[in-house]
């Protein structure tokens, strides 16, 4: 029988958070013990969950014993919550992006000090992880590459964490180099997108989209496009479950699900 895992969800009223609540409630060995919502606290009878609601993660973890925090908030809050959870000995599974290298170094040190694990995932969709891994494979042979990521118009960061992570993975097999004509000129600033070691990253924000990315490779007489689409936020829950099941058994920081799938 699987060990019972007590879980706190931060950002539970959001679209991702509501899917995470369903996942926890529908998984036999998961128990939802509290949620965090900065705008509400007290009687939870009007909410969609039958557990205590806190506006502050510190207050929550002082009162509630939990094994895992699932954080699906904003970049700024996610960074703070990750560090707070580790301070309380709670293992964070974080789906927000915007972590700097300095943040990741501090979190890695906290994991070491507390001897517990943390997982930060720019993308929880297993198909998106495969898209990144396939792109890394392709870039070894087709080093001319551009990334187009497309998300809903309420997304706060650009480029997306998935696009940046894809570029980082590609950079491990591709030498930094410029692309396009050496004398090309933008007649409108930003037309060629963000630059990552010569790779261009383009961000699209439109209503109706969820999360989509294509990685385009060009070579002599050929082109390759690797694309992933999430049509519903349910697509991310397989990765959330994989992360929760994994984080309880590790004692270090994992950044990106590509590091825990075969």
């Amino acid at each position: 029988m699987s060990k019972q895992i007590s879980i706190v969800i931060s950002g539970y009223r959001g679209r991702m958070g509501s899917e995470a609540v369903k996942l926890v409630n529908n998984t036999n060995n998961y128990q939802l013990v509290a949620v965090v919502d900065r705008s509400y606290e007290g009687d939870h009878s009007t909410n969609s969950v039958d557990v205590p609601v806190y506006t502050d993660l510190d207050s929550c973890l002082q009162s509630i014993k939990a094994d895992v925090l699932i954080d699906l908030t904003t970049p700024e809050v996610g960074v703070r919550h990750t560090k707070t959870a580790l301070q309380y000995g709670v293992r964070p599974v974080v789906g927000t992006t915007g972590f700097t290298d300095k943040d990741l170094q501090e979190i890695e040190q906290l994991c070491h000090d507390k001897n517990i694990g943390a997982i930060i995932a720019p993308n929880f969709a297993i198909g998106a992880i495969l898209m990144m891994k396939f792109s890394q494979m392709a870039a070894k042979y087709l080093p001319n590459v551009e990334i187009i990521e497309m998300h809903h118009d309420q997304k706060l960061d650009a480029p997306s964490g998935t696009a940046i992570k894809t570029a980082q993975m590609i950079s491990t097999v591709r030498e930094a180099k410029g692309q396009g004509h050496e004398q090309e000129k933008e007649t409108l600033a930003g037309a060629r997108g963000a630059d990552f070691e010569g790779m261009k990253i383009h961000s699209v924000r439109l209503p109706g989209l969820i999360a989509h990315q294509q990685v385009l490779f060009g070579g002599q007489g050929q082109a390759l496009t690797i694309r992933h689409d999430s049509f519903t936020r349910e697509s991310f829950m397989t990765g959330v479950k994989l992360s929760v099941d994994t984080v309880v058994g590790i004692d270090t920081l994992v950044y990106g699900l590509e590091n825990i799938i075969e």
Side-chain angles (χ1 to χ4, degrees), residues 89-131:
V90 176
R91 300 166 186 265
V93 168
V94 187
T96 50
T97 55
F99 288 79
T100 65
D101 289 342
K102 183 173 181 289
D103 291 327
L104 294 174
Q105 290 169 4
E106 291 176 359
I107 292 164
E108 188 171 31
Q109 185 62 50
L110 275 171
C111 288
H112 179 267
D113 293 344
K114 297 292 184 177
N115 196 35
I116 58 174
I119 294 177
I120 300 171
N123 198 313
F124 280 119
I126 299 300
I129 308 308
L130 294 173
M131 175 264 297

Side-chain angles (χ1 to χ4, degrees), residues 9-21 69-75 77-78 81 93-96 121 124 236-237 240:
I9 297 177
S10 180
Y12 83 101
R13 289 196 302 154
R15 293 175 180 174
M16 276 281 286
S18 61
E19 291 294 337
V21 169
L69 167 72
I70 298 176
D71 187 88
L72 302 167
T73 54
T74 63
V77 175
H81 280 184
V93 168
V94 187
T96 50
F124 280 119
F236 304 117
M237 291 305 109
V240 173

Side-chain angles (χ1 to χ4, degrees), residues 132-133 135-140 145 164-176 196-197 199 258-259:
M132 289 189 276
K133 291 174 78 74
S135 296
Q136 184 182 40
M137 293 170 59
K140 184 177 180 180
V145 53
I164 294 172
K165 183 65 175 175
T166 304
Q168 291 171 338
M169 290 174 63
I170 288 173
S171 71
T172 64
V173 299
R174 173 191 179 274
E175 290 187 9
F196 187 103
E197 297 187 358
M199 289 178 274
E258 73 280 358
N259 296 302

Side-chain angles (χ1 to χ4, degrees), residues 83 93-94 100 125 139 147-148 150 153 161 170 179 183 188 228:
K83 296 175 182 178
V93 168
V94 187
T100 65
I147 299 169
I148 304 174
M150 299 157 280
D153 60 347
I170 288 173
Q179 296 180 171
Q183 295 181 0
L188 286 176
H228 177 262

Side-chain angles (χ1 to χ4, degrees), residues 22-81:
K22 294 177 190 176
L23 170 69
V24 173
N25 287 337
N26 292 330
T27 303
N28 288 335
N29 65 313
Y30 290 1
Q31 181 183 9
L32 185 64
V33 292
V35 294
V36 179
D37 176 0
R38 63 182 181 179
S39 62
Y40 185 87
E41 185 169 13
D43 179 15
H44 50 72
S45 60
T46 60
N47 283 268
S48 58
V49 292
D50 190 26
V51 294
V53 181
Y54 294 85
T55 56
D56 177 74
L57 184 61
D58 276 284
S59 299
C60 175
L61 297 183
Q62 287 169 9
S63 305
I64 299 291
K65 179 174 174 52
D67 300 309
V68 173
L69 167 72
I70 298 176
D71 187 88
L72 302 167
T73 54
T74 63
E76 180 182 354
V77 175
V79 171
R80 185 171 71 250
H81 280 184

